[in-house]
Amino acid sequence: MRRKLMLTVLLGITGICSYGQGEYDVSKIPAGLTENAAIVIRNQEMVYEVKGLGSARQDYKTAVTILNKKGEGASNMYEYYDKFSNVYNLKATLYDEKGIKIKEYRSSDFKDRSAVSDGTLYSDSRIKFMEFLYASFPYTVEYSYSVDYNGILNYPSWNPASSWAMAVEKSSYTFKVPKSFSFKHLSSKGLKTDSTEVKDMKQYRWSCAAVPALVYEPMSAGLKGVNPWVMVAPNQFEYDNTKANIEDWTKLGSWLYQLSSGSQVLPEAAKLKIQLLIKDAKSPKEKIKILYRHLQENTRYVGVQLGIGGYTPIVAEKVSTVNYGDCKGLSNYMKAMLQEAGIKSNLVVIGSGMPSLNRKYASMNQANHMILCVPLEKDTTWLECTSSYDPTGFIGNDNSGRTVLLVTEQGGKLVETPLLKPSGNYLKRNTRVELNEEGNAAIQIDAQYANAQYEDNIGLMLIEPVNQRKNIMNSLGIPNMEITSVKYTQPDKDLPLLNENISLKSSQLLTGGGGKLFLTLNLLNRQENTLTPIENRKTPFAVSYGYLDEDEVIYTIPKGFKVEFIPKDIVIESEFGKYTTKVVAKDNTLIYTRTKSIINKQYPAEKYNEYVAFHKKLYQADKQKSILAKIE
């Protein structure tokens, strides 16, 4: 009897513990998933059912455990919608560390606001969201919602482990489509596709489990090479009373051409203005430059995203009247002006700052921008029509070397934009340093930046003088620096070149004692030692762009001193680039020259530590010193 009573008590305690330990108790997460993690996706389920060319339903549910403050933002729910979609059935629940329910939220608790971004004048995009505030870590948020679509351009992608420090316990994507519909999909290497047929529907399912969190890796080319993902796209769709076939890029380009067809008509006053502007031009190239500059000086960028208008350019006549437009509208307006000048051009769809278009997979979500291509008899000019200062033909590093879609009468055509080569992305700098025996110096810096380095630094010419000087003070790192003059100029508006002229004074450039002075030769462009080796790196890495730096520093030796020691020449060469230094003593000067050429491409993860070692060699080389001795 006593044993039975004790058993009953134990069972009761067990029942209480079981009841108190909820489904989302953090202790239930496998230890391997909390390592390196700030976020754990406990469960994620997405079901997307295609009902027609322009109609679909999505049901989404997820539970996310936030382990610490670094993962706090991942607890928030955001879902965008517009007049072609409706978000409903919103629910959310907050759980504490033990998985015990703290609070439930209903649809009325979610906020709803416009999702118009800065620089966008017209947009019908809105957002429903919930931002959870809970101070005690860890905690779990579970939420769900449904979306009905009455216009389709894309199908949703699946990317469960989408950020650093994020682990996934389990996740799945179920895609349902009528048997009569065709679609395409891409997936990560080795991901299994489960497919079944139910009556007149086909069902595809992708899933993953126990995906560990990854620690941030510098210079990463992205997580898609190591984590599971799926992209799905329609071959035919209906959107805003428009039907399209996008089985391939040719057909997608045909649809885009139809959207812009007839939108290049200009008012008579604008035509007369164009003819007046180009009347003395001697060549098509000169006409392009004149009209591009006219575009830059008389229009501004404003985003317009309304239904099919998000893909249809504003008519040229409208842009000519209001003097603004988005990337499509401004590119189309430039096309209309060139057309009036007798020059043919093509709109170009591009993923600015995104990977190149996949040649074998046509979809609407690989691009975010439009530029203009002007094919001439002997060469081709590319125009970035949203910039007010880019030279004619310069489309920037983010658009360089990309596979893009040329929109032509015959349909879409995949072509490559010009590649900015390392030798063209140069910095050429000459610096003269007048030293005295106290270590004080008068310094004159004359530099020129080209192409991608021009793009990185052109902002210095456009900001206020006070901010110019602050930027210089923070970037040069010269001790006790006093700027006496600064000048930035663009010598030729048709070339991506920026000249920099800085005069300044400094002290403490020389250190030493006992009649000897030590001079660090590389004054301005030292390699930072910010990279550390990573064991078992997971992701490939890439350099943002290749470049060439050429520095010459001429030091005038202080009176009463002579050169006692100069370092040997250095040459460091690898697959990542090449570095050289040379020091020459001539008359009363020391001439230090340095070149650094970096190659841009994607490298496999296992090469990263070699890249770190290469950087470390450059860091050490940039610490070279010369010794000056007092003349007795």
Side-chain angles (χ1 to χ4, degrees):
M1 188 74 171
R2 184 179 178 85
R3 287 181 181 177
K4 185 175 182 180
L5 179 61
M6 181 64 72
L7 182 60
T8 302
V9 171
L10 288 171
L11 286 171
I13 293 172
T14 303
I16 291 171
C17 291
S18 178
Y19 179 79
Q21 189 180 44
E23 178 184 3
Y24 299 126
D25 190 319
V26 175
S27 66
K28 291 183 177 181
I29 301 174
L33 295 185
T34 57
E35 185 179 358
N36 301 323
I39 307 150
V40 179
I41 306 296
R42 308 295 296 276
N43 183 37
Q44 183 185 60
E45 299 173 9
M46 180 167 65
V47 179
Y48 188 85
E49 181 176 354
V50 180
K51 297 184 176 182
L53 287 178
S55 60
R57 171 177 168 140
Q58 177 181 326
D59 294 303
Y60 184 83
K61 180 179 180 180
T62 191
V64 183
T65 293
I66 310 302
L67 298 176
N68 52 54
K69 193 168 183 64
K70 291 181 180 179
E72 198 168 21
S75 67
N76 299 329
M77 189 224 90
Y78 305 94
E79 181 61 20
Y80 293 86
Y81 71 99
D82 54 27
K83 68 177 183 178
F84 302 103
S85 56
N86 176 43
V87 183
Y88 61 102
N89 284 347
L90 292 107
K91 297 176 184 177
T93 307
L94 178 65
Y95 299 88
D96 69 6
E97 180 179 0
K98 296 295 183 183
I100 298 172
K101 187 186 299 182
I102 297 172
K103 186 175 181 180
E104 286 187 338
Y105 302 86
R106 298 180 179 179
S107 289
S108 57
D109 296 316
F110 287 77
K111 296 179 182 178
D112 188 323
R113 72 179 180 207
S114 170
V116 176
S117 59
D118 292 341
T120 299
L121 181 62
Y122 301 121
S123 176
D124 54 8
S125 181
R126 297 191 64 82
I127 182 173
K128 291 192 177 183
F129 65 100
M130 172 74 73
E131 295 177 339
F132 299 90
L133 298 174
Y134 192 63
S136 181
F137 299 97
Y139 64 89
T140 299
V141 171
E142 180 186 58
Y143 59 83
S144 61
Y145 58 84
S146 298
V147 186
D148 283 339
Y149 298 93
N150 62 355
I152 293 175
L153 286 165
N154 301 297
Y155 297 149
S157 299
W158 177 67
N159 189 18
S162 57
S163 66
W164 303 105
M166 175 183 285
V168 178
E169 201 166 342
K170 58 180 179 178
S171 175
S172 67
Y173 177 19
T174 302
F175 178 75
K176 300 178 181 180
V177 63
K179 287 182 183 179
S180 58
F181 281 33
S182 65
F183 70 99
K184 59 182 82 78
H185 80 274
L186 294 174
S187 62
S188 52
K189 187 177 180 180
L191 185 68
K192 182 183 176 183
T193 301
D194 294 321
S195 61
T196 58
E197 293 187 8
V198 181
K199 295 182 179 180
D200 60 344
M201 300 289 288
K202 284 186 177 180
Q203 178 174 297
Y204 298 82
R205 188 175 186 274
W206 300 274
S207 64
C208 65
V211 179
L214 295 179
V215 177
Y216 169 75
E217 295 179 342
M219 302 174 66
S220 176
L223 295 169
K224 292 186 73 173
V226 292
N227 283 343
W229 57 269
V230 169
M231 290 172 59
V232 188
N235 283 329
Q236 298 86 27
F237 64 75
E238 184 175 336
Y239 181 79
D240 199 7
N241 298 314
T242 300
K243 290 184 179 181
N245 182 315
I246 59 167
E247 291 177 356
D248 53 43
W249 290 112
T250 302
K251 291 185 173 68
L252 196 157
S254 292
W255 177 66
L256 292 173
Y257 183 82
Q258 291 169 14
L259 291 181
S260 64
S261 180
S263 63
Q264 291 88 35
V265 178
L266 290 169
E268 289 303 317
K271 291 180 180 180
L272 290 172
K273 177 68 174 178
I274 291 167
Q275 294 300 332
L276 185 64
L277 287 169
I278 64 173
K279 66 181 177 65
D280 297 324
K282 302 294 190 298
S283 67
K285 276 259 186 184
E286 191 175 349
K287 291 178 182 179
I288 294 168
K289 289 178 181 180
I290 292 169
L291 294 178
Y292 183 61
R293 195 167 296 170
H294 176 72
L295 174 83
Q296 291 180 308
E297 293 173 352
N298 292 278
T299 62
R300 59 191 175 92
Y301 173 84
V302 173
V304 180
Q305 308 293 333
L306 289 172
I308 202 67
Y311 303 89
T312 307
I314 307 170
V315 296
E317 183 177 16
K318 178 72 171 178
V319 177
S320 177
T321 302
V322 299
N323 294 322
Y324 64 75
D326 59 9
C327 62
K328 301 177 300 299
L330 295 175
S331 296
N332 187 66
Y333 178 50
M334 185 67 198
K335 177 180 171 69
M337 289 196 294
L338 290 171
Q339 186 173 289
E340 175 61 26
I343 299 172
K344 185 178 179 180
S345 62
N346 298 101
L347 298 173
V348 178
V349 176
I350 185 171
S352 181
M354 299 171 68
S356 288
L357 302 182
N358 187 315
R359 287 182 169 272
K360 298 181 179 180
Y361 183 84
S363 69
M364 295 291 294
N365 57 356
Q366 296 181 59
N368 59 2
H369 191 43
M370 184 170 279
I371 60 176
L372 194 67
C373 174
V374 192
L376 299 176
E377 187 177 345
K378 293 184 179 180
D379 61 5
T380 298
T381 299
W382 301 81
L383 300 174
E384 170 53 76
C385 297
T386 62
S387 173
S388 59
Y389 56 82
D390 279 349
T392 307
F394 182 72
I395 56 175
N397 182 60
D398 280 350
N399 295 333
S400 164
R402 299 291 195 275
T403 303
V404 301
L405 186 67
L406 206 65
V407 180
T408 76
E409 295 177 53
Q410 293 75 37
K413 181 181 178 182
L414 293 176
V415 297
E416 306 294 320
T417 59
L419 178 66
L420 294 179
K421 297 180 180 179
S423 59
N425 297 327
Y426 65 76
L427 160 62
K428 295 181 179 181
R429 180 162 45 199
N430 180 272
T431 305
R432 300 190 68 90
V433 183
E434 298 277 347
L435 291 166
N436 64 26
E437 56 271 26
E438 285 80 31
N440 298 323
I443 302 171
Q444 177 63 41
I445 302 168
D446 299 307
Q448 185 172 80
Y449 303 91
N451 288 317
Q453 296 217 54
Y454 154 87
E455 186 178 23
D456 279 353
N457 291 280
I458 186 63
L460 291 169
M461 190 177 76
L462 307 175
I463 60 178
E464 294 295 324
V466 172
N467 292 327
Q468 274 184 352
R469 290 173 178 253
K470 285 181 180 178
N471 187 288
I472 293 167
M473 296 284 285
N474 291 332
S475 63
L476 290 185
I478 297 174
N480 296 327
M481 181 169 52
E482 179 187 340
I483 298 172
T484 53
S485 69
V486 178
K487 186 179 181 182
Y488 288 97
T489 56
Q490 191 174 350
D492 187 338
K493 288 189 176 181
D494 291 322
L495 294 175
L497 298 174
L498 175 69
N499 287 347
E500 175 185 69
N501 307 102
I502 303 171
S503 298
L504 55 88
K505 296 178 181 178
S506 175
S507 61
Q508 300 177 3
L509 288 188
L510 298 169
T511 60
K516 296 185 187 295
L517 297 175
F518 299 91
L519 172 65
T520 301
L521 293 163
N522 189 354
L523 179 66
L524 301 173
N525 199 2
R526 295 176 195 164
Q527 176 69 51
E528 295 181 1
N529 190 29
T530 56
L531 300 177
T532 56
I534 298 175
E535 296 302 320
N536 301 315
R537 183 183 172 111
K538 305 297 183 185
T539 61
F541 65 99
V543 179
S544 57
Y545 62 79
Y547 60 90
L548 171 65
D549 286 353
E550 295 180 341
D551 276 277
E552 180 185 69
V553 187
I554 302 174
Y555 294 96
T556 300
I557 299 167
K559 289 183 179 179
F561 283 83
K562 64 179 180 179
V563 178
E564 182 176 271
F565 169 79
I566 58 174
K568 294 181 179 180
D569 297 350
I570 294 177
V571 177
I572 301 170
E573 193 165 6
S574 81
E575 64 178 302
F576 308 114
K578 184 176 181 180
Y579 171 100
T580 68
T581 62
K582 185 179 182 67
V583 188
V584 176
K586 184 179 180 181
D587 298 329
N588 69 328
T589 64
L590 268 178
I591 303 172
Y592 170 81
T593 56
R594 173 189 187 268
T595 66
K596 176 184 173 186
S597 177
I598 297 297
I599 299 168
N600 62 310
K601 68 176 186 179
Q602 185 169 302
Y603 300 94
E606 57 268 21
K607 289 279 185 182
Y608 182 72
N609 287 348
E610 294 177 31
Y611 184 79
V612 173
F614 172 69
H615 263 237
K616 187 174 181 180
K617 289 179 182 177
L618 271 55
Y619 169 73
Q620 293 295 336
D622 275 347
K623 295 165 70 174
Q624 281 184 306
K625 286 183 170 63
S626 184
I627 302 174
L628 308 179
K630 199 161 189 176
I631 301 172
E632 297 183 3

